[in-house]
Amino acid sequence: MKNAISLIFAGVIGGLIALGGVYFLMPIPTATTTDAQFAKTVGDQVNVNPKTKAVPYDFTAAAKKAMPAVVHISSVESKDLAQQRRQNQNQNNPFRNFFGEDFLGGSPQKRGSGSGVIISQDGYIVTNNHVVEFADQLEVTLYDNRSFLASVVGTDPQTDLAVLKIEADRLPLLDYADSDAAQVGEWVLAVGNPFDLTSTVTAGIISAKGRNINIINSNSGIEAFIQTDAAVNPGNSGGALVDEKGRLLGINTAIATQTGSYAGYSFAIPINMASKIIDDLIQYGEYRRAFIGIQISDMDSELADELGVDITQGVYVSSLVEGGAAEYAGVLPKDIITEVDGRNIKSVPELQEFIGRAKVGETITLTIVRRGKTQEIPVVLKEG
């Protein structure tokens, strides 16, 4: 009997020991949450305000500032000007002596519309040259629906800018932004009158800077556009590109399109360059452009290999204009311009923009690479 009890007792003890071993070998369970607790935790994390700056989806304040300073421009070619234009066209018409002046058909009076930005309280307005270049009858309509006849103060086809004047005072203005400081990815608004739809605002981001799209048919044209994906259409030309604070960043000028309407990208003249041209047009009636006197091209990997350098961004000097500012200063063909006044220069449009807003007689300092060595050359800019 005692032996049986001993065996039972030993069995119980052994079972307990086995169970204890299994217990200690099992992984220790971690704390868990209920589905409701989990959902609350995730919700709290999602709804936490990020520490970085939030995307400004509400542009009402910027639009409210910008719209009153943007005007609608109606451009009309008078009958007399249209007749004169037809006569000029017919000078090269070999059939006019046989069949009359209008044998090939005379163009009707040209009409168009666009936008403009008020730049002074006493009535100066900036727009694109292509909005007004064909017209001699201009009417400006303000945001409050008042209309004024406008006169042309000055135009510059090489930058596609023009300044008009109306007889008005106490007009609303926009502060200027620093277009040099604007960065790719920043929000912008395009304000104008597309398709004669007045006071239209669209939003997008800056998608590139210093863009050349070859729309100015001139060897001396300056193109260093701010590229955006804000919708711009015919009628927006000459209107305002503003930043999220409602400051003037550029003058809307062109779109990339195969249809004539917006297809994804639009282009604006940076205000840092436009302001210099505007000042000249008001003061002199023309743009007093400074020239450096060089023929240039963009650096790339192929040209770098040809020259035996490791510089793939910059401006290559292919030749010099005889008697120009660069030649006088000592710049040589095959020099590579990498900086101007300490600012990095990566492309031809960047250099053109910088020179385009400099003044005649101003001294700039070029940083160039010549035969693998870097040096600085001061250049006194000349008028073209």
Side-chain angles (χ1 to χ4, degrees):
M1 184 66 178
K2 291 181 178 180
N3 289 335
I5 293 174
S6 297
L7 290 172
I8 293 171
F9 182 76
V12 171
I13 296 299
L16 291 174
I17 292 172
L19 289 172
V22 171
Y23 176 82
F24 284 109
L25 290 174
M26 288 177 63
I28 299 173
T30 58
T32 61
T33 59
T34 65
D35 289 345
Q37 290 172 323
F38 177 76
K40 182 180 185 303
T41 301
V42 172
D44 290 344
Q45 291 174 348
V46 170
N47 292 322
V48 170
N49 291 327
K51 293 182 180 179
T52 58
K53 183 180 178 182
V55 176
Y57 285 116
D58 187 351
F59 298 112
T60 53
K64 187 175 181 180
K65 287 182 180 179
M67 287 191 294
V70 177
V71 304
H72 178 272
I73 299 173
S74 175
S75 307
V76 179
E77 180 188 45
S78 66
K79 290 183 179 179
D80 289 343
L81 187 60
Q83 183 177 2
Q84 181 181 344
R85 173 172 54 82
R86 288 196 296 270
Q87 289 173 347
N88 292 337
Q89 290 173 342
N90 283 327
Q91 293 300 318
N92 297 319
N93 178 359
F95 300 101
R96 66 186 177 89
N97 291 328
F98 299 96
F99 300 103
E101 295 287 346
D102 293 328
F103 168 67
L104 294 181
S107 299
Q109 291 173 253
K110 291 184 177 182
R111 296 176 181 272
S113 65
S115 304
V117 183
I118 300 169
I119 54 173
S120 73
Q121 288 188 319
D122 60 347
Y124 285 100
I125 294 166
V126 62
T127 186
N128 286 137
N129 177 64
H130 73 260
V131 172
V132 301
E133 63 181 345
F134 62 88
D136 57 346
Q137 296 177 352
L138 301 170
E139 184 178 39
V140 168
T141 303
L142 305 184
Y143 180 70
D144 61 9
N145 290 329
R146 288 184 295 161
S147 294
F148 298 85
L149 295 178
S151 59
V152 176
V153 175
T155 65
D156 184 60
Q158 294 177 344
T159 57
D160 197 20
L161 286 172
V163 173
L164 311 181
K165 180 70 168 64
I166 62 174
E167 296 304 319
D169 55 17
R170 298 193 299 276
L171 297 177
L173 301 177
L174 294 177
D175 294 330
Y176 284 6
D178 180 359
S179 56
D180 287 348
Q183 299 183 43
V184 172
E186 288 186 3
W187 283 98
V188 289
L189 302 180
V191 186
N193 306 281
F195 305 122
D196 282 328
L197 300 173
T198 58
S199 302
T200 298
V201 180
T202 57
I205 63 167
I206 297 174
S207 50
K209 293 183 66 180
R211 186 69 83 199
N212 185 326
I213 58 174
N214 297 314
I215 63 166
I216 298 177
N217 297 321
S218 169
N219 291 331
S220 55
I222 301 177
E223 294 187 24
F225 295 119
I226 298 172
Q227 177 182 311
T228 82
D229 62 357
V232 168
N233 277 295
N236 273 112
S237 291
L241 184 73
V242 302
D243 65 12
E244 63 184 69
K245 296 180 180 179
R247 299 176 302 184
L248 185 61
L249 187 63
I251 305 300
N252 294 318
T253 298
I255 55 178
T257 178
Q258 295 179 339
T259 65
S261 298
Y262 176 72
Y265 297 107
S266 55
F267 304 90
I269 301 168
I271 193 59
N272 285 15
M273 183 178 79
S275 60
K276 162 62 169 65
I277 300 164
I278 291 167
D279 290 345
D280 277 5
L281 292 178
I282 293 174
Q283 185 171 357
Y284 307 111
E286 62 181 3
Y287 173 32
R288 299 185 64 182
R289 182 175 176 182
F291 281 88
I292 193 170
I294 52 179
Q295 299 294 325
I296 51 181
S297 61
D298 285 324
M299 285 295 299
D300 55 28
S301 57
E302 184 177 346
L303 183 54
D305 290 341
E306 182 182 331
L307 298 174
V309 298
D310 59 359
I311 301 171
T312 57
Q313 290 184 316
V315 174
Y316 175 70
V317 179
S318 56
S319 63
L320 303 174
V321 175
E322 185 176 354
E327 183 185 57
Y328 184 81
V331 177
L332 298 177
K334 297 186 178 181
D335 284 348
I336 302 170
I337 301 171
T338 58
E339 295 180 14
V340 178
D341 287 349
R343 171 184 167 180
N344 289 333
I345 298 296
K346 298 179 181 179
S347 65
V348 167
E350 287 186 357
L351 179 61
Q352 288 179 324
E353 180 189 354
F354 191 97
I355 302 301
R357 65 191 198 214
K359 296 180 179 180
V360 174
E362 183 178 340
T363 300
I364 62 170
T365 300
L366 301 180
T367 300
I368 61 108
V369 176
R370 178 184 297 167
R371 302 187 186 93
K373 295 183 178 180
T374 300
Q375 65 184 86
E376 294 184 348
I377 301 178
V379 179
V380 181
L381 299 175
K382 295 184 176 182
E383 187 171 2

